[in-house]
Amino acid sequence: MFYIVLSIICSVSVGALLKFSKRYSFDIVQVIAINYLFALFLCYFTFNPDISAIDSSSPWKIYIGLAILLPSVFLLLAASIKHIGIVKTDIAQRMSLFIPILAAYFIFKEDFSNLKLIGLVIGFPAIFLTLSKKNNTDAQENKWIFPVLVLLGFGIIDILFKQIALQKNIPYTTSLFVVFCGALVLALCFSVYSIAIKKNKIRVQNLIIGAFLGILNFGNILFYLKAHKEFAENPSTVFAAMNLGVIVLGSLVGIIAFKEKVSLKNYIGIILALASIVFITLSQLQAS
Protein backbone atom coordinates (compact mmCIF):
# COMPACT_ATOMS: atom_id res chain seq x y z
CA MET A 1 0.00 0.00 0.00
CA PHE A 2 3.04 2.24 0.43
CA TYR A 3 3.32 2.87 -3.34
CA ILE A 4 -0.40 3.62 -3.61
CA VAL A 5 -0.15 6.21 -0.84
CA LEU A 6 2.84 7.85 -2.54
CA SER A 7 1.00 7.91 -5.87
CA ILE A 8 -2.05 9.54 -4.24
CA ILE A 9 0.13 12.17 -2.52
CA CYS A 10 1.90 12.98 -5.81
CA SER A 11 -1.41 13.28 -7.67
CA VAL A 12 -3.02 15.60 -5.12
CA SER A 13 0.21 17.62 -4.78
CA VAL A 14 0.05 18.41 -8.50
CA GLY A 15 -3.36 19.99 -7.95
CA ALA A 16 -2.16 21.87 -4.87
CA LEU A 17 0.83 23.23 -6.79
CA LEU A 18 -1.37 24.38 -9.68
CA LYS A 19 -3.73 26.00 -7.17
CA PHE A 20 -0.99 28.50 -6.34
CA SER A 21 -1.23 29.86 -9.89
CA LYS A 22 -4.18 31.90 -8.60
CA ARG A 23 -2.07 33.38 -5.81
CA TYR A 24 1.24 33.80 -7.58
CA SER A 25 1.76 35.04 -11.12
CA PHE A 26 3.65 32.29 -12.90
CA ASP A 27 3.31 31.39 -16.57
CA ILE A 28 1.46 28.05 -16.62
CA VAL A 29 2.50 27.40 -20.24
CA GLN A 30 6.21 27.62 -19.38
CA VAL A 31 5.62 25.56 -16.24
CA ILE A 32 3.98 22.76 -18.27
CA ALA A 33 6.87 22.71 -20.76
CA ILE A 34 9.47 22.39 -17.99
CA ASN A 35 7.27 19.76 -16.36
CA TYR A 36 7.44 17.53 -19.45
CA LEU A 37 11.17 18.15 -19.84
CA PHE A 38 11.82 16.82 -16.32
CA ALA A 39 9.29 13.99 -16.71
CA LEU A 40 11.02 12.98 -19.96
CA PHE A 41 14.49 12.87 -18.38
CA LEU A 42 13.19 10.91 -15.37
CA CYS A 43 11.37 8.48 -17.66
CA TYR A 44 14.55 7.91 -19.71
CA PHE A 45 16.90 7.34 -16.76
CA THR A 46 14.42 5.31 -14.69
CA PHE A 47 12.87 3.01 -17.30
CA ASN A 48 15.69 2.94 -19.89
CA PRO A 49 13.18 2.76 -22.77
CA ASP A 50 14.01 0.59 -25.76
CA ILE A 51 13.85 3.16 -28.56
CA SER A 52 14.76 0.49 -31.14
CA ALA A 53 11.31 -1.04 -30.60
CA ILE A 54 9.74 2.02 -32.24
CA ASP A 55 9.29 1.80 -36.03
CA SER A 56 6.81 2.67 -38.76
CA SER A 57 4.38 0.01 -37.51
CA SER A 58 4.15 1.60 -34.06
CA PRO A 59 0.78 3.16 -33.11
CA TRP A 60 1.77 6.66 -34.20
CA LYS A 61 -1.81 7.94 -34.41
CA ILE A 62 -2.27 7.13 -30.72
CA TYR A 63 1.13 8.63 -29.84
CA ILE A 64 0.30 11.87 -31.68
CA GLY A 65 -3.18 11.99 -30.13
CA LEU A 66 -1.75 11.66 -26.63
CA ALA A 67 1.06 14.14 -27.37
CA ILE A 68 -1.59 16.72 -28.29
CA LEU A 69 -4.04 15.88 -25.51
CA LEU A 70 -1.63 15.70 -22.54
CA PRO A 71 -0.38 19.32 -22.54
CA SER A 72 -3.76 20.63 -23.73
CA VAL A 73 -5.71 18.90 -20.96
CA PHE A 74 -3.02 19.97 -18.49
CA LEU A 75 -3.85 23.60 -19.35
CA LEU A 76 -7.55 22.85 -18.78
CA LEU A 77 -6.68 21.15 -15.48
CA ALA A 78 -4.78 24.22 -14.32
CA ALA A 79 -7.66 26.50 -15.36
CA SER A 80 -10.21 24.27 -13.60
CA ILE A 81 -8.22 24.20 -10.35
CA LYS A 82 -7.71 27.96 -10.54
CA HIS A 83 -11.38 28.82 -11.10
CA ILE A 84 -13.32 25.87 -9.63
CA GLY A 85 -10.93 24.45 -7.03
CA ILE A 86 -9.11 21.22 -6.21
CA VAL A 87 -12.17 19.43 -4.78
CA LYS A 88 -14.33 19.55 -7.90
CA THR A 89 -11.45 19.21 -10.34
CA ASP A 90 -10.03 16.08 -8.67
CA ILE A 91 -13.48 14.47 -8.69
CA ALA A 92 -14.01 15.41 -12.35
CA GLN A 93 -10.62 13.91 -13.18
CA ARG A 94 -11.38 10.67 -11.31
CA MET A 95 -14.92 10.38 -12.68
CA SER A 96 -13.40 10.49 -16.16
CA LEU A 97 -13.23 6.69 -15.80
CA PHE A 98 -16.81 6.76 -17.09
CA ILE A 99 -15.58 7.60 -20.60
CA PRO A 100 -13.60 4.35 -21.16
CA ILE A 101 -16.33 2.37 -19.40
CA LEU A 102 -19.00 3.79 -21.72
CA ALA A 103 -16.69 3.19 -24.69
CA ALA A 104 -16.31 -0.44 -23.59
CA TYR A 105 -20.10 -0.82 -23.55
CA PHE A 106 -21.15 1.08 -26.68
CA ILE A 107 -18.09 0.62 -28.92
CA PHE A 108 -16.48 -2.64 -27.81
CA LYS A 109 -19.83 -4.27 -26.81
CA GLU A 110 -18.54 -5.44 -23.42
CA ASP A 111 -21.07 -7.15 -21.15
CA PHE A 112 -21.80 -5.15 -17.99
CA SER A 113 -22.62 -6.66 -14.61
CA ASN A 114 -25.37 -5.25 -12.40
CA LEU A 115 -22.73 -3.79 -10.06
CA LYS A 116 -21.08 -1.82 -12.87
CA LEU A 117 -24.46 -0.57 -14.09
CA ILE A 118 -25.31 0.57 -10.54
CA GLY A 119 -21.96 2.36 -10.36
CA LEU A 120 -22.69 4.20 -13.62
CA VAL A 121 -26.23 5.11 -12.57
CA ILE A 122 -24.91 6.57 -9.29
CA GLY A 123 -22.01 8.28 -11.04
CA PHE A 124 -23.97 10.58 -13.33
CA PRO A 125 -25.83 12.45 -10.57
CA ALA A 126 -22.54 12.46 -8.65
CA ILE A 127 -20.92 14.49 -11.44
CA PHE A 128 -23.89 16.86 -11.64
CA LEU A 129 -24.09 17.44 -7.88
CA THR A 130 -20.33 17.79 -7.43
CA LEU A 131 -20.06 20.48 -10.12
CA SER A 132 -23.28 22.19 -9.04
CA LYS A 133 -22.99 25.69 -7.63
CA LYS A 134 -25.31 28.53 -6.67
CA ASN A 135 -26.56 30.76 -9.46
CA ASN A 136 -24.28 33.70 -10.07
CA THR A 137 -24.81 36.48 -12.58
CA ASP A 138 -21.10 37.16 -12.81
CA ALA A 139 -19.92 35.47 -16.01
CA GLN A 140 -16.44 35.13 -14.56
CA GLU A 141 -17.80 32.74 -11.94
CA ASN A 142 -19.45 30.39 -14.45
CA LYS A 143 -16.40 28.22 -15.06
CA TRP A 144 -18.05 24.79 -14.82
CA ILE A 145 -16.97 24.10 -18.41
CA PHE A 146 -13.36 23.54 -17.25
CA PRO A 147 -13.98 20.47 -15.04
CA VAL A 148 -16.33 19.06 -17.70
CA LEU A 149 -13.56 19.34 -20.31
CA VAL A 150 -11.09 17.84 -17.79
CA LEU A 151 -13.45 14.89 -17.34
CA LEU A 152 -13.80 14.35 -21.10
CA GLY A 153 -10.09 14.94 -21.78
CA PHE A 154 -8.78 12.51 -19.17
CA GLY A 155 -11.38 9.96 -20.24
CA ILE A 156 -10.11 10.02 -23.83
CA ILE A 157 -6.49 9.94 -22.61
CA ASP A 158 -7.33 6.86 -20.53
CA ILE A 159 -8.77 5.10 -23.59
CA LEU A 160 -5.66 5.88 -25.66
CA PHE A 161 -3.27 4.72 -22.92
CA LYS A 162 -5.25 1.48 -22.63
CA GLN A 163 -4.78 0.98 -26.38
CA ILE A 164 -1.02 1.46 -25.92
CA ALA A 165 -0.99 -1.09 -23.08
CA LEU A 166 -2.43 -3.68 -25.49
CA GLN A 167 0.64 -3.40 -27.75
CA LYS A 168 2.59 -6.63 -27.22
CA ASN A 169 5.72 -5.75 -29.21
CA ILE A 170 6.42 -2.39 -27.57
CA PRO A 171 7.08 -1.99 -23.81
CA TYR A 172 4.61 0.36 -22.15
CA THR A 173 7.39 2.51 -20.68
CA THR A 174 8.90 2.96 -24.16
CA SER A 175 5.56 4.17 -25.50
CA LEU A 176 5.30 6.50 -22.50
CA PHE A 177 8.70 7.98 -23.36
CA VAL A 178 7.64 8.61 -26.97
CA VAL A 179 4.42 10.27 -25.81
CA PHE A 180 6.36 12.51 -23.39
CA CYS A 181 8.64 13.53 -26.27
CA GLY A 182 5.66 14.58 -28.36
CA ALA A 183 4.00 16.36 -25.43
CA LEU A 184 7.22 18.28 -24.76
CA VAL A 185 7.42 19.42 -28.40
CA LEU A 186 3.86 20.79 -28.30
CA ALA A 187 4.40 22.37 -24.86
CA LEU A 188 7.53 24.10 -26.19
CA CYS A 189 5.47 25.44 -29.12
CA PHE A 190 2.98 26.85 -26.60
CA SER A 191 5.90 28.40 -24.70
CA VAL A 192 7.37 30.02 -27.83
CA TYR A 193 3.96 31.60 -28.49
CA SER A 194 3.76 32.74 -24.86
CA ILE A 195 7.23 34.29 -24.93
CA ALA A 196 7.36 35.68 -28.49
CA ILE A 197 3.76 36.77 -29.03
CA LYS A 198 2.37 37.41 -25.55
CA LYS A 199 5.72 38.77 -24.33
CA ASN A 200 5.74 36.67 -21.14
CA LYS A 201 9.23 36.63 -19.70
CA ILE A 202 11.16 33.50 -18.76
CA ARG A 203 11.35 33.56 -14.97
CA VAL A 204 13.23 31.41 -12.51
CA GLN A 205 10.04 30.69 -10.58
CA ASN A 206 8.50 29.15 -13.73
CA LEU A 207 11.49 26.82 -14.04
CA ILE A 208 11.40 25.81 -10.36
CA ILE A 209 7.65 25.17 -10.26
CA GLY A 210 7.85 23.29 -13.58
CA ALA A 211 10.63 21.09 -12.20
CA PHE A 212 8.60 20.24 -9.08
CA LEU A 213 5.54 19.56 -11.23
CA GLY A 214 7.52 17.23 -13.50
CA ILE A 215 8.89 15.30 -10.52
CA LEU A 216 5.41 14.95 -8.99
CA ASN A 217 3.84 13.89 -12.29
CA PHE A 218 6.50 11.29 -12.92
CA GLY A 219 6.31 10.13 -9.29
CA ASN A 220 2.58 9.61 -9.72
CA ILE A 221 3.16 7.39 -12.76
CA LEU A 222 6.15 5.54 -11.25
CA PHE A 223 4.44 4.69 -7.96
CA TYR A 224 1.20 3.78 -9.75
CA LEU A 225 3.07 1.27 -11.94
CA LYS A 226 4.94 -0.11 -8.90
CA ALA A 227 1.63 -0.48 -7.04
CA HIS A 228 0.21 -2.48 -9.95
CA LYS A 229 3.31 -4.70 -9.89
CA GLU A 230 2.92 -5.19 -6.12
CA PHE A 231 -0.78 -6.07 -6.51
CA ALA A 232 -0.41 -7.92 -9.82
CA GLU A 233 -3.03 -10.49 -8.75
CA ASN A 234 -5.54 -7.86 -7.68
CA PRO A 235 -5.36 -4.71 -9.84
CA SER A 236 -8.80 -3.60 -8.62
CA THR A 237 -7.22 -2.82 -5.24
CA VAL A 238 -4.96 -0.26 -6.90
CA PHE A 239 -7.81 1.12 -8.98
CA ALA A 240 -10.09 1.60 -5.98
CA ALA A 241 -7.46 2.89 -3.56
CA MET A 242 -6.09 5.37 -6.08
CA ASN A 243 -9.42 6.87 -7.14
CA LEU A 244 -10.97 6.92 -3.68
CA GLY A 245 -7.75 8.19 -2.10
CA VAL A 246 -7.38 11.10 -4.53
CA ILE A 247 -11.01 12.17 -4.07
CA VAL A 248 -10.80 12.03 -0.27
CA LEU A 249 -7.35 13.63 0.09
CA GLY A 250 -8.03 16.18 -2.65
CA SER A 251 -11.28 17.18 -0.96
CA LEU A 252 -9.58 17.54 2.43
CA VAL A 253 -6.75 19.64 0.98
CA GLY A 254 -9.16 21.86 -0.92
CA ILE A 255 -11.54 22.41 2.00
CA ILE A 256 -8.99 22.67 4.84
CA ALA A 257 -5.88 24.14 3.22
CA PHE A 258 -7.45 26.37 0.57
CA LYS A 259 -10.80 27.08 2.28
CA GLU A 260 -12.77 26.10 -0.81
CA LYS A 261 -16.52 26.51 -0.39
CA VAL A 262 -18.45 23.25 -0.76
CA SER A 263 -22.26 23.19 -0.65
CA LEU A 264 -24.50 20.42 0.66
CA LYS A 265 -25.14 19.35 -2.93
CA ASN A 266 -21.39 19.10 -3.51
CA TYR A 267 -20.93 16.94 -0.40
CA ILE A 268 -23.70 14.63 -1.59
CA GLY A 269 -21.97 14.48 -4.98
CA ILE A 270 -18.65 13.55 -3.34
CA ILE A 271 -20.33 10.72 -1.39
CA LEU A 272 -22.06 9.45 -4.55
CA ALA A 273 -18.77 9.61 -6.47
CA LEU A 274 -17.09 7.46 -3.82
CA ALA A 275 -20.03 5.02 -3.88
CA SER A 276 -19.89 4.86 -7.69
CA ILE A 277 -16.19 3.94 -7.68
CA VAL A 278 -16.81 1.29 -5.00
CA PHE A 279 -19.50 -0.40 -7.13
CA ILE A 280 -17.37 -0.26 -10.29
CA THR A 281 -14.42 -1.75 -8.37
CA LEU A 282 -16.62 -4.52 -6.94
CA SER A 283 -17.76 -5.33 -10.47
CA GLN A 284 -14.13 -5.72 -11.53
CA LEU A 285 -13.43 -8.02 -8.56
CA GLN A 286 -16.49 -10.05 -9.47
CA ALA A 287 -15.28 -10.42 -13.06
CA SER A 288 -11.74 -11.48 -12.09
Side-chain angles (χ1 to χ4, degrees):
M1 291 295 290
F2 179 67
Y3 290 126
I4 296 176
V5 172
L6 289 177
S7 184
I8 291 169
I9 291 172
C10 285
S11 180
V12 175
S13 296
V14 167
L17 194 60
L18 291 174
K19 179 72 174 179
F20 284 108
S21 65
K22 193 171 184 177
R23 297 185 179 181
Y24 304 99
S25 57
F26 58 79
D27 187 347
I28 190 62
V29 173
Q30 292 180 33
V31 165
I32 290 174
I34 298 299
N35 150 73
Y36 281 116
L37 181 63
F38 270 77
L40 185 66
F41 279 128
L42 290 170
C43 182
Y44 181 80
F45 289 110
T46 303
F47 296 132
N48 192 24
D50 182 13
I51 307 301
S52 63
I54 303 296
D55 54 29
S56 58
S57 64
S58 301
W60 285 104
K61 289 182 179 179
I62 298 178
Y63 290 160
I64 293 171
L66 283 168
I68 294 171
L69 279 171
L70 283 176
S72 302
V73 174
F74 215 139
L75 286 171
L76 291 170
L77 181 71
S80 181
I81 290 172
K82 180 179 180 179
H83 295 293
I84 300 296
I86 294 176
V87 178
K88 297 180 180 182
T89 302
D90 272 343
I91 293 174
Q93 183 180 348
R94 291 299 147 184
M95 296 304 282
S96 66
L97 63 92
F98 279 6
I99 305 299
I101 289 176
L102 291 173
Y105 184 78
F106 289 106
I107 299 175
F108 303 109
K109 307 301 180 183
E110 180 183 318
D111 291 329
F112 276 21
S113 67
N114 290 333
L115 288 172
K116 186 169 286 189
L117 288 172
I118 292 171
L120 288 173
V121 169
I122 293 174
F124 285 111
I127 295 171
F128 174 78
L129 290 170
T130 300
L131 301 183
S132 174
K133 65 183 300 179
K134 294 178 180 179
N135 292 329
N136 197 313
T137 56
D138 187 355
Q140 290 300 106
E141 293 299 320
N142 298 322
K143 302 293 185 179
W144 56 267
I145 190 65
F146 290 118
V148 171
L149 291 176
V150 166
L151 187 152
L152 293 173
F154 274 104
I156 296 170
I157 287 171
D158 193 23
I159 292 174
L160 295 179
F161 268 123
K162 279 182 169 60
Q163 294 300 308
I164 283 180
L166 295 175
Q167 302 291 321
K168 302 298 182 183
N169 58 326
I170 305 174
Y172 182 80
T173 50
T174 299
S175 292
L176 184 65
F177 178 79
V178 174
V179 169
F180 276 166
C181 285
L184 175 61
V185 170
L186 184 59
L188 287 174
C189 290
F190 288 162
S191 294
V192 169
Y193 173 81
S194 173
I195 296 166
I197 307 299
K198 298 186 73 176
K199 306 300 180 183
N200 290 325
K201 295 180 180 179
I202 299 175
R203 296 180 178 177
V204 175
Q205 63 187 34
N206 294 332
L207 303 179
I208 295 172
I209 294 171
F212 274 114
L213 199 62
I215 293 169
L216 290 172
N217 261 323
F218 180 76
N220 181 25
I221 295 169
L222 176 64
F223 296 131
Y224 187 68
L225 292 175
K226 283 184 175 292
H228 269 294
K229 187 176 291 186
E230 184 179 342
F231 290 93
E233 300 300 320
N234 194 1
S236 295
T237 300
V238 180
F239 172 85
M242 187 66 193
N243 285 284
L244 294 172
V246 168
I247 289 177
V248 172
L249 183 59
S251 297
L252 290 174
V253 169
I255 294 168
I256 297 172
F258 294 101
K259 311 298 181 185
E260 293 180 3
K261 294 180 179 179
V262 181
S263 67
L264 178 60
K265 282 185 179 180
N266 300 150
Y267 278 116
I268 294 173
I270 293 171
I271 293 170
L272 289 178
L274 293 171
S276 174
I277 291 174
V278 168
F279 276 108
I280 292 171
T281 304
L282 288 174
S283 73
Q284 289 185 322
L285 287 171
Q286 189 182 66
S288 60

